[in-house]
Amino acid sequence: MTRQFAEAPLPLFDPASGPEDPALLPLERGARLPSYIKDHRARLRARFMAGGAAALPDYEMLELVLFRAIPRQDVKPLAHRLLTTFHDFNGVISAPSARLETVEGVGEAVICELKVVEAAAARLARARVLNRHVLSGWDALLDYCHTTMAHRATEQFRVLFLDRKNVLIADEEQARGTVDHVPVYPREVVKRALELDASAMILVHNHPSGDPTPSEADIVMTHRIRDAAEALGLVLHDHIIVGRSRETSFRSQGYL
């Protein structure tokens, strides 16, 4: 005689039954996704497809990114924790991996998804300026600089190398530094320009403090690079300092 046993249903968390955070309670393998999560995800995707990013606040945009990393849990609480820690969507996406790891609920999968979005945004912005006439597409250049550097926790110094027609032929990181200093060597900058057969340059670096006002050291360093470039027939078009919400152009502010 064969006995039959009724299979006990897998437990699902009822958000109304207790104070637990459902984002921290993984479902067992084979369990169905609760309808309140499944329906929410479907509605959110539909709103995004209908209205784009403008139709969603930061925490919902972040949820869309987290869906892939955490396919079987409610990700809204984690989205809010990330925004509380890093202030806005851009801050979350560009946050260093080490700092992301300190947020409860963030693991390797979440960090990977966030960094893929960051890399995709930088690559798209770079494609809009590379091999293009930079001076006639200045807004695109500023967007690229802001996307790649505005939320960095430490200073980074980049040089954009241009040909005789002011077309961007290379964009290279020259140095990384601390939260308030980056070492720059004018001789190395000019040497690299000659190696690339560049005719002009644009310097770019960020201020992690968020304030793009040039320091005295920034001004002195810029003038040294300008003098070294002019001695070899190279043109320094500008030096852009990237802050959290705005940029400063040395050329437009009269520093060059």
Side-chain angles (χ1 to χ4, degrees):
M1 177 177 177
T2 302
R3 296 183 179 181
Q4 295 182 348
F5 296 90
E7 184 178 355
L10 293 171
L12 298 178
F13 174 73
D14 179 359
S17 66
E20 292 91 345
D21 184 345
L24 302 179
L25 299 178
L27 298 175
E28 296 186 30
R29 185 179 300 276
R32 292 183 178 180
L33 192 66
S35 60
Y36 76 95
I37 297 178
K38 183 177 180 181
D39 293 346
H40 171 68
R41 293 188 174 200
R43 288 193 300 268
L44 200 54
R45 290 188 177 109
R47 284 173 51 208
F48 176 77
M49 294 303 295
L56 304 179
D58 277 4
Y59 80 91
E60 289 184 332
M61 278 291 294
L62 199 51
E63 283 189 74
L64 286 174
V65 177
L66 295 174
F67 285 168
R68 285 174 52 85
I70 308 177
R72 302 188 61 75
Q73 296 177 42
D74 181 6
V75 298
K76 184 182 295 185
L78 177 55
H80 282 295
R81 283 197 294 275
L82 286 165
L83 289 170
T84 297
T85 304
F86 300 109
H87 310 300
D88 59 20
F89 183 86
N90 290 335
V92 173
I93 294 299
S94 58
S97 297
R99 290 199 60 200
L100 288 168
E101 289 176 348
T102 66
V103 178
E104 181 183 8
V106 172
E108 182 179 350
V110 168
I111 293 174
C112 181
E113 289 297 324
L114 295 175
K115 292 301 143 187
V116 166
V117 173
E118 181 187 26
R123 185 165 295 188
L124 286 169
R126 188 171 187 265
R128 295 189 178 102
V129 297
L130 192 62
N131 298 320
R132 306 290 179 89
H133 191 280
V134 169
L135 300 185
S136 62
W138 196 249
D139 289 342
L141 178 68
L142 293 180
D143 287 343
Y144 168 61
C145 294
H146 186 83
T147 298
T148 55
M149 302 179 72
H151 295 277
R152 290 183 175 272
T154 57
E155 285 200 20
Q156 180 191 55
F157 182 81
R158 307 182 72 88
V159 181
L160 310 181
F161 297 99
L162 315 178
D163 66 11
R164 291 175 177 80
K165 295 182 179 180
N166 288 321
V167 170
L168 180 62
I169 57 174
D171 161 32
E172 297 185 353
E173 177 183 305
Q174 296 295 305
R176 292 187 183 186
T178 63
V179 294
D180 59 2
H181 173 71
V182 60
V184 179
Y185 303 99
R187 183 175 63 180
E188 294 301 318
V189 173
V190 174
K191 176 183 176 182
R192 184 57 179 154
L194 295 175
E195 291 173 349
L196 293 169
D197 197 26
S199 295
M201 300 177 295
I202 297 174
L203 312 179
V204 187
H205 88 279
N206 64 308
H207 278 181
S209 68
D211 180 4
T213 303
S215 67
E216 183 63 29
D218 292 335
I219 296 171
V220 170
M221 177 266 292
T222 303
H223 289 170
R224 287 177 178 171
I225 293 178
R226 179 197 59 191
D227 294 344
E230 289 180 349
L232 295 173
L234 302 171
V235 176
L236 178 60
H237 281 307
D238 207 343
H239 182 175
I240 300 169
I241 299 181
V242 180
R244 187 168 297 275
S245 60
R246 62 186 178 90
E247 301 80 31
T248 292
S249 161
F250 271 52
R251 181 70 63 184
S252 64
Q253 295 298 316
Y255 295 112
L256 275 176

